[in-house]
PDB file of all heavy atoms in Angstrom:
ATOM      1  N   LEU A  30      30.955 -58.516  37.450  1.00  0.00           N
ATOM      2  CA  LEU A  30      31.100 -57.084  37.904  1.00  0.00           C
ATOM      3  C   LEU A  30      32.453 -56.573  37.587  1.00  0.00           C
ATOM      4  O   LEU A  30      32.602 -55.440  37.177  1.00  0.00           O
ATOM      5  CB  LEU A  30      30.620 -56.877  39.300  1.00  0.00           C
ATOM      6  CG  LEU A  30      29.121 -57.136  39.494  1.00  0.00           C
ATOM      7  CD1 LEU A  30      28.871 -57.139  41.042  1.00  0.00           C
ATOM      8  CD2 LEU A  30      28.322 -56.017  38.847  1.00  0.00           C
ATOM      9  N   GLN A  31      33.506 -57.368  37.887  1.00  0.00           N
ATOM     10  CA  GLN A  31      34.954 -56.957  37.780  1.00  0.00           C
ATOM     11  C   GLN A  31      35.150 -56.635  36.218  1.00  0.00           C
ATOM     12  O   GLN A  31      35.793 -55.736  35.987  1.00  0.00           O
ATOM     13  CB  GLN A  31      35.912 -57.975  38.323  1.00  0.00           C
ATOM     14  CG  GLN A  31      37.298 -57.662  38.243  1.00  0.00           C
ATOM     15  CD  GLN A  31      37.591 -56.474  39.253  1.00  0.00           C
ATOM     16  OE1 GLN A  31      37.126 -56.299  40.224  1.00  0.00           O
ATOM     17  NE2 GLN A  31      38.528 -55.691  38.772  1.00  0.00           N
ATOM     18  N   GLU A  32      34.653 -57.509  35.399  1.00  0.00           N
ATOM     19  CA  GLU A  32      34.848 -57.355  33.880  1.00  0.00           C
ATOM     20  C   GLU A  32      34.119 -56.108  33.442  1.00  0.00           C
ATOM     21  O   GLU A  32      34.649 -55.332  32.546  1.00  0.00           O
ATOM     22  CB  GLU A  32      34.357 -58.536  33.093  1.00  0.00           C
ATOM     23  CG  GLU A  32      35.120 -59.796  33.412  1.00  0.00           C
ATOM     24  CD  GLU A  32      34.556 -61.032  32.852  1.00  0.00           C
ATOM     25  OE1 GLU A  32      33.339 -60.952  32.328  1.00  0.00           O
ATOM     26  OE2 GLU A  32      35.171 -62.016  32.872  1.00  0.00           O
ATOM     27  N   ARG A  33      32.908 -55.795  33.896  1.00  0.00           N
ATOM     28  CA  ARG A  33      32.095 -54.734  33.379  1.00  0.00           C
ATOM     29  C   ARG A  33      32.270 -53.385  34.043  1.00  0.00           C
ATOM     30  O   ARG A  33      32.162 -52.345  33.323  1.00  0.00           O
ATOM     31  CB  ARG A  33      30.651 -55.135  33.400  1.00  0.00           C
ATOM     32  CG  ARG A  33      30.382 -56.178  32.287  1.00  0.00           C
ATOM     33  CD  ARG A  33      29.025 -56.800  32.435  1.00  0.00           C
ATOM     34  NE  ARG A  33      28.750 -57.704  31.347  1.00  0.00           N
ATOM     35  CZ  ARG A  33      29.379 -58.857  31.073  1.00  0.00           C
ATOM     36  NH1 ARG A  33      30.398 -59.269  31.834  1.00  0.00           N
ATOM     37  NH2 ARG A  33      28.969 -59.618  30.126  1.00  0.00           N
ATOM     38  N   CYS A  34      32.605 -53.355  35.281  1.00  0.00           N
ATOM     39  CA  CYS A  34      32.700 -52.144  36.004  1.00  0.00           C
ATOM     40  C   CYS A  34      33.501 -52.349  37.250  1.00  0.00           C
ATOM     41  O   CYS A  34      33.001 -52.555  38.307  1.00  0.00           O
ATOM     42  CB  CYS A  34      31.377 -51.460  36.346  1.00  0.00           C
ATOM     43  SG  CYS A  34      30.174 -52.618  36.962  1.00  0.00           S
ATOM     44  N   PRO A  35      34.858 -52.425  37.149  1.00  0.00           N
ATOM     45  CA  PRO A  35      35.739 -52.786  38.150  1.00  0.00           C
ATOM     46  C   PRO A  35      35.612 -52.016  39.510  1.00  0.00           C
ATOM     47  O   PRO A  35      35.779 -52.526  40.550  1.00  0.00           O
ATOM     48  CB  PRO A  35      37.124 -52.790  37.642  1.00  0.00           C
ATOM     49  CG  PRO A  35      36.994 -52.291  36.247  1.00  0.00           C
ATOM     50  CD  PRO A  35      35.600 -52.123  35.912  1.00  0.00           C
ATOM     51  N   ASP A  36      35.365 -50.695  39.376  1.00  0.00           N
ATOM     52  CA  ASP A  36      35.294 -49.895  40.561  1.00  0.00           C
ATOM     53  C   ASP A  36      34.012 -50.128  41.505  1.00  0.00           C
ATOM     54  O   ASP A  36      33.960 -49.782  42.595  1.00  0.00           O
ATOM     55  CB  ASP A  36      35.372 -48.390  40.198  1.00  0.00           C
ATOM     56  CG  ASP A  36      34.241 -47.971  39.263  1.00  0.00           C
ATOM     57  OD1 ASP A  36      33.817 -48.930  38.416  1.00  0.00           O
ATOM     58  OD2 ASP A  36      33.808 -46.830  39.380  1.00  0.00           O
ATOM     59  N   LEU A  37      33.040 -50.777  40.817  1.00  0.00           N
ATOM     60  CA  LEU A  37      31.658 -50.964  41.506  1.00  0.00           C
ATOM     61  C   LEU A  37      31.829 -51.866  42.728  1.00  0.00           C
ATOM     62  O   LEU A  37      31.214 -51.663  43.749  1.00  0.00           O
ATOM     63  CB  LEU A  37      30.665 -51.451  40.569  1.00  0.00           C
ATOM     64  CG  LEU A  37      29.285 -51.413  41.069  1.00  0.00           C
ATOM     65  CD1 LEU A  37      28.788 -50.011  41.412  1.00  0.00           C
ATOM     66  CD2 LEU A  37      28.292 -51.905  39.995  1.00  0.00           C
ATOM     67  N   LEU A  38      32.590 -52.923  42.611  1.00  0.00           N
ATOM     68  CA  LEU A  38      32.678 -53.852  43.697  1.00  0.00           C
ATOM     69  C   LEU A  38      33.098 -53.290  45.050  1.00  0.00           C
ATOM     70  O   LEU A  38      32.642 -53.748  46.148  1.00  0.00           O
ATOM     71  CB  LEU A  38      33.624 -55.016  43.318  1.00  0.00           C
ATOM     72  CG  LEU A  38      33.122 -56.058  42.345  1.00  0.00           C
ATOM     73  CD1 LEU A  38      34.266 -57.080  41.973  1.00  0.00           C
ATOM     74  CD2 LEU A  38      31.981 -56.770  42.962  1.00  0.00           C
ATOM     75  N   ASN A  39      33.953 -52.364  44.999  1.00  0.00           N
ATOM     76  CA  ASN A  39      34.472 -51.748  46.309  1.00  0.00           C
ATOM     77  C   ASN A  39      33.620 -50.495  46.688  1.00  0.00           C
ATOM     78  O   ASN A  39      33.888 -49.967  47.768  1.00  0.00           O
ATOM     79  CB  ASN A  39      35.934 -51.264  46.133  1.00  0.00           C
ATOM     80  CG  ASN A  39      36.777 -52.580  45.941  1.00  0.00           C
ATOM     81  OD1 ASN A  39      36.658 -53.527  46.645  1.00  0.00           O
ATOM     82  ND2 ASN A  39      37.735 -52.455  45.122  1.00  0.00           N
ATOM     83  N   GLU A  40      32.658 -50.193  45.975  1.00  0.00           N
ATOM     84  CA  GLU A  40      31.838 -48.993  46.234  1.00  0.00           C
ATOM     85  C   GLU A  40      30.764 -49.284  47.318  1.00  0.00           C
ATOM     86  O   GLU A  40      30.094 -50.245  47.305  1.00  0.00           O
ATOM     87  CB  GLU A  40      31.173 -48.493  44.951  1.00  0.00           C
ATOM     88  CG  GLU A  40      30.525 -47.065  45.160  1.00  0.00           C
ATOM     89  CD  GLU A  40      30.196 -46.430  43.841  1.00  0.00           C
ATOM     90  OE1 GLU A  40      30.920 -46.664  42.834  1.00  0.00           O
ATOM     91  OE2 GLU A  40      29.209 -45.718  43.810  1.00  0.00           O
ATOM     92  N   VAL A  41      30.714 -48.382  48.335  1.00  0.00           N
ATOM     93  CA  VAL A  41      29.611 -48.371  49.332  1.00  0.00           C
ATOM     94  C   VAL A  41      28.613 -47.392  48.667  1.00  0.00           C
ATOM     95  O   VAL A  41      28.889 -46.353  48.357  1.00  0.00           O
ATOM     96  CB  VAL A  41      30.102 -47.923  50.676  1.00  0.00           C
ATOM     97  CG1 VAL A  41      28.946 -47.859  51.607  1.00  0.00           C
ATOM     98  CG2 VAL A  41      31.210 -48.846  51.146  1.00  0.00           C
ATOM     99  N   ILE A  42      27.323 -47.899  48.551  1.00  0.00           N
ATOM    100  CA  ILE A  42      26.307 -47.065  48.078  1.00  0.00           C
ATOM    101  C   ILE A  42      26.050 -45.861  48.943  1.00  0.00           C
ATOM    102  O   ILE A  42      25.787 -46.068  50.138  1.00  0.00           O
ATOM    103  CB  ILE A  42      25.089 -47.865  47.781  1.00  0.00           C
ATOM    104  CG1 ILE A  42      25.340 -48.950  46.778  1.00  0.00           C
ATOM    105  CG2 ILE A  42      23.884 -46.975  47.234  1.00  0.00           C
ATOM    106  CD1 ILE A  42      24.235 -50.044  46.607  1.00  0.00           C
ATOM    107  N   PRO A  43      26.173 -44.715  48.425  1.00  0.00           N
ATOM    108  CA  PRO A  43      26.085 -43.471  49.327  1.00  0.00           C
ATOM    109  C   PRO A  43      24.710 -43.391  49.933  1.00  0.00           C
ATOM    110  O   PRO A  43      23.693 -43.662  49.336  1.00  0.00           O
ATOM    111  CB  PRO A  43      26.341 -42.332  48.316  1.00  0.00           C
ATOM    112  CG  PRO A  43      26.655 -42.858  46.969  1.00  0.00           C
ATOM    113  CD  PRO A  43      26.418 -44.319  47.009  1.00  0.00           C
ATOM    114  N   LYS A  44      24.710 -42.853  51.138  1.00  0.00           N
ATOM    115  CA  LYS A  44      23.519 -42.458  51.939  1.00  0.00           C
ATOM    116  C   LYS A  44      22.562 -43.635  52.349  1.00  0.00           C
ATOM    117  O   LYS A  44      21.628 -43.408  52.967  1.00  0.00           O
ATOM    118  CB  LYS A  44      22.701 -41.460  51.221  1.00  0.00           C
ATOM    119  CG  LYS A  44      23.455 -40.287  50.679  1.00  0.00           C
ATOM    120  CD  LYS A  44      23.771 -39.287  51.771  1.00  0.00           C
ATOM    121  CE  LYS A  44      24.338 -37.984  51.216  1.00  0.00           C
ATOM    122  NZ  LYS A  44      25.146 -37.241  51.990  1.00  0.00           N
ATOM    123  N   VAL A  45      22.909 -44.868  52.032  1.00  0.00           N
ATOM    124  CA  VAL A  45      22.048 -45.975  52.498  1.00  0.00           C
ATOM    125  C   VAL A  45      22.017 -46.099  53.937  1.00  0.00           C
ATOM    126  O   VAL A  45      20.945 -46.387  54.466  1.00  0.00           O
ATOM    127  CB  VAL A  45      22.588 -47.300  51.766  1.00  0.00           C
ATOM    128  CG1 VAL A  45      21.806 -48.494  52.346  1.00  0.00           C
ATOM    129  CG2 VAL A  45      22.323 -47.218  50.256  1.00  0.00           C
ATOM    130  N   ASP A  46      23.190 -45.927  54.540  1.00  0.00           N
ATOM    131  CA  ASP A  46      23.207 -46.040  56.025  1.00  0.00           C
ATOM    132  C   ASP A  46      22.353 -44.945  56.650  1.00  0.00           C
ATOM    133  O   ASP A  46      21.667 -45.187  57.647  1.00  0.00           O
ATOM    134  CB  ASP A  46      24.610 -46.068  56.649  1.00  0.00           C
ATOM    135  CG  ASP A  46      25.423 -44.826  56.113  1.00  0.00           C
ATOM    136  OD1 ASP A  46      25.033 -44.299  55.077  1.00  0.00           O
ATOM    137  OD2 ASP A  46      26.480 -44.586  56.753  1.00  0.00           O
ATOM    138  N   THR A  47      22.331 -43.671  56.053  1.00  0.00           N
ATOM    139  CA  THR A  47      21.466 -42.609  56.616  1.00  0.00           C
ATOM    140  C   THR A  47      20.028 -42.973  56.492  1.00  0.00           C
ATOM    141  O   THR A  47      19.262 -42.826  57.362  1.00  0.00           O
ATOM    142  CB  THR A  47      21.789 -41.369  55.854  1.00  0.00           C
ATOM    143  OG1 THR A  47      23.227 -41.037  56.069  1.00  0.00           O
ATOM    144  CG2 THR A  47      20.984 -40.184  56.491  1.00  0.00           C
ATOM    145  N   VAL A  48      19.662 -43.471  55.287  1.00  0.00           N
ATOM    146  CA  VAL A  48      18.275 -43.879  54.967  1.00  0.00           C
ATOM    147  C   VAL A  48      17.882 -44.937  55.964  1.00  0.00           C
ATOM    148  O   VAL A  48      16.789 -44.969  56.545  1.00  0.00           O
ATOM    149  CB  VAL A  48      18.099 -44.346  53.573  1.00  0.00           C
ATOM    150  CG1 VAL A  48      16.744 -44.934  53.316  1.00  0.00           C
ATOM    151  CG2 VAL A  48      18.299 -43.132  52.579  1.00  0.00           C
ATOM    152  N   ALA A  49      18.735 -45.974  56.108  1.00  0.00           N
ATOM    153  CA  ALA A  49      18.438 -47.107  57.076  1.00  0.00           C
ATOM    154  C   ALA A  49      18.185 -46.653  58.475  1.00  0.00           C
ATOM    155  O   ALA A  49      17.324 -47.068  59.174  1.00  0.00           O
ATOM    156  CB  ALA A  49      19.483 -48.169  57.040  1.00  0.00           C
ATOM    157  N   GLY A  50      18.920 -45.570  58.910  1.00  0.00           N
ATOM    158  CA  GLY A  50      18.770 -45.099  60.290  1.00  0.00           C
ATOM    159  C   GLY A  50      17.601 -44.283  60.490  1.00  0.00           C
ATOM    160  O   GLY A  50      16.917 -44.362  61.496  1.00  0.00           O
ATOM    161  N   ILE A  51      17.068 -43.594  59.398  1.00  0.00           N
ATOM    162  CA  ILE A  51      15.820 -42.728  59.524  1.00  0.00           C
ATOM    163  C   ILE A  51      14.605 -43.576  59.285  1.00  0.00           C
ATOM    164  O   ILE A  51      13.658 -43.434  59.989  1.00  0.00           O
ATOM    165  CB  ILE A  51      15.964 -41.612  58.468  1.00  0.00           C
ATOM    166  CG1 ILE A  51      17.159 -40.637  58.823  1.00  0.00           C
ATOM    167  CG2 ILE A  51      14.651 -40.818  58.399  1.00  0.00           C
ATOM    168  CD1 ILE A  51      17.454 -39.644  57.769  1.00  0.00           C
ATOM    169  N   PHE A  52      14.632 -44.440  58.233  1.00  0.00           N
ATOM    170  CA  PHE A  52      13.391 -45.178  57.857  1.00  0.00           C
ATOM    171  C   PHE A  52      13.626 -46.660  58.212  1.00  0.00           C
ATOM    172  O   PHE A  52      13.838 -47.497  57.270  1.00  0.00           O
ATOM    173  CB  PHE A  52      13.159 -45.025  56.483  1.00  0.00           C
ATOM    174  CG  PHE A  52      12.946 -43.591  56.040  1.00  0.00           C
ATOM    175  CD1 PHE A  52      13.881 -42.869  55.348  1.00  0.00           C
ATOM    176  CD2 PHE A  52      11.779 -42.950  56.296  1.00  0.00           C
ATOM    177  CE1 PHE A  52      13.712 -41.528  54.980  1.00  0.00           C
ATOM    178  CE2 PHE A  52      11.561 -41.632  55.986  1.00  0.00           C
ATOM    179  CZ  PHE A  52      12.560 -40.913  55.257  1.00  0.00           C
ATOM    180  N   GLU A  53      13.623 -46.977  59.430  1.00  0.00           N
ATOM    181  CA  GLU A  53      13.862 -48.364  59.797  1.00  0.00           C
ATOM    182  C   GLU A  53      12.847 -49.303  59.193  1.00  0.00           C
ATOM    183  O   GLU A  53      11.668 -49.019  59.208  1.00  0.00           O
ATOM    184  CB  GLU A  53      13.751 -48.508  61.384  1.00  0.00           C
ATOM    185  CG  GLU A  53      14.097 -49.811  61.956  1.00  0.00           C
ATOM    186  CD  GLU A  53      14.061 -49.865  63.413  1.00  0.00           C
ATOM    187  OE1 GLU A  53      14.396 -48.801  64.085  1.00  0.00           O
ATOM    188  OE2 GLU A  53      13.813 -50.925  63.958  1.00  0.00           O
ATOM    189  N   GLY A  54      13.372 -50.419  58.709  1.00  0.00           N
ATOM    190  CA  GLY A  54      12.486 -51.472  58.011  1.00  0.00           C
ATOM    191  C   GLY A  54      12.171 -51.165  56.570  1.00  0.00           C
ATOM    192  O   GLY A  54      11.366 -51.937  55.974  1.00  0.00           O
ATOM    193  N   CYS A  55      12.637 -50.041  55.994  1.00  0.00           N
ATOM    194  CA  CYS A  55      12.361 -49.801  54.582  1.00  0.00           C
ATOM    195  C   CYS A  55      13.109 -50.775  53.718  1.00  0.00           C
ATOM    196  O   CYS A  55      14.113 -51.380  54.126  1.00  0.00           O
ATOM    197  CB  CYS A  55      12.638 -48.457  54.261  1.00  0.00           C
ATOM    198  SG  CYS A  55      14.395 -47.881  54.222  1.00  0.00           S
ATOM    199  N   THR A  56      12.591 -50.971  52.479  1.00  0.00           N
ATOM    200  CA  THR A  56      13.225 -51.809  51.557  1.00  0.00           C
ATOM    201  C   THR A  56      13.874 -51.129  50.395  1.00  0.00           C
ATOM    202  O   THR A  56      13.460 -50.014  50.046  1.00  0.00           O
ATOM    203  CB  THR A  56      12.182 -52.864  50.938  1.00  0.00           C
ATOM    204  OG1 THR A  56      11.104 -52.123  50.367  1.00  0.00           O
ATOM    205  CG2 THR A  56      11.624 -53.760  52.046  1.00  0.00           C
ATOM    206  N   LEU A  57      14.716 -51.810  49.751  1.00  0.00           N
ATOM    207  CA  LEU A  57      15.482 -51.260  48.546  1.00  0.00           C
ATOM    208  C   LEU A  57      14.855 -51.827  47.321  1.00  0.00           C
ATOM    209  O   LEU A  57      14.848 -53.014  47.176  1.00  0.00           O
ATOM    210  CB  LEU A  57      16.887 -51.607  48.705  1.00  0.00           C
ATOM    211  CG  LEU A  57      17.830 -51.220  47.527  1.00  0.00           C
ATOM    212  CD1 LEU A  57      18.048 -49.668  47.681  1.00  0.00           C
ATOM    213  CD2 LEU A  57      19.109 -51.992  47.495  1.00  0.00           C
ATOM    214  N   GLN A  58      14.272 -50.985  46.475  1.00  0.00           N
ATOM    215  CA  GLN A  58      13.557 -51.467  45.359  1.00  0.00           C
ATOM    216  C   GLN A  58      14.488 -51.467  44.123  1.00  0.00           C
ATOM    217  O   GLN A  58      14.517 -52.422  43.280  1.00  0.00           O
ATOM    218  CB  GLN A  58      12.339 -50.706  45.097  1.00  0.00           C
ATOM    219  CG  GLN A  58      11.304 -50.980  46.102  1.00  0.00           C
ATOM    220  CD  GLN A  58      10.020 -50.408  45.866  1.00  0.00           C
ATOM    221  OE1 GLN A  58       9.662 -50.057  44.761  1.00  0.00           O
ATOM    222  NE2 GLN A  58       9.165 -50.554  46.780  1.00  0.00           N
TER     223      GLN A  58
END
């Protein structure tokens, strides 16, 4: 990942925490 897209390793995927709080138990496809 560092070789192909260095900025991605430190990125927190936006809105995932909001989705997890609203839709408890949902999965990431």
Side-chain angles (χ1 to χ4, degrees):
L30 289 169
Q31 184 68 34
E32 291 170 355
R33 284 168 177 68
C34 45
D36 61 327
L37 190 61
L38 282 174
N39 293 319
E40 190 164 327
V41 175
I42 299 170
K44 309 282 186 205
V45 171
D46 53 343
T47 303
V48 171
I51 295 171
F52 302 104
E53 187 176 327
C55 67
T56 59
L57 176 75
Q58 294 190 8

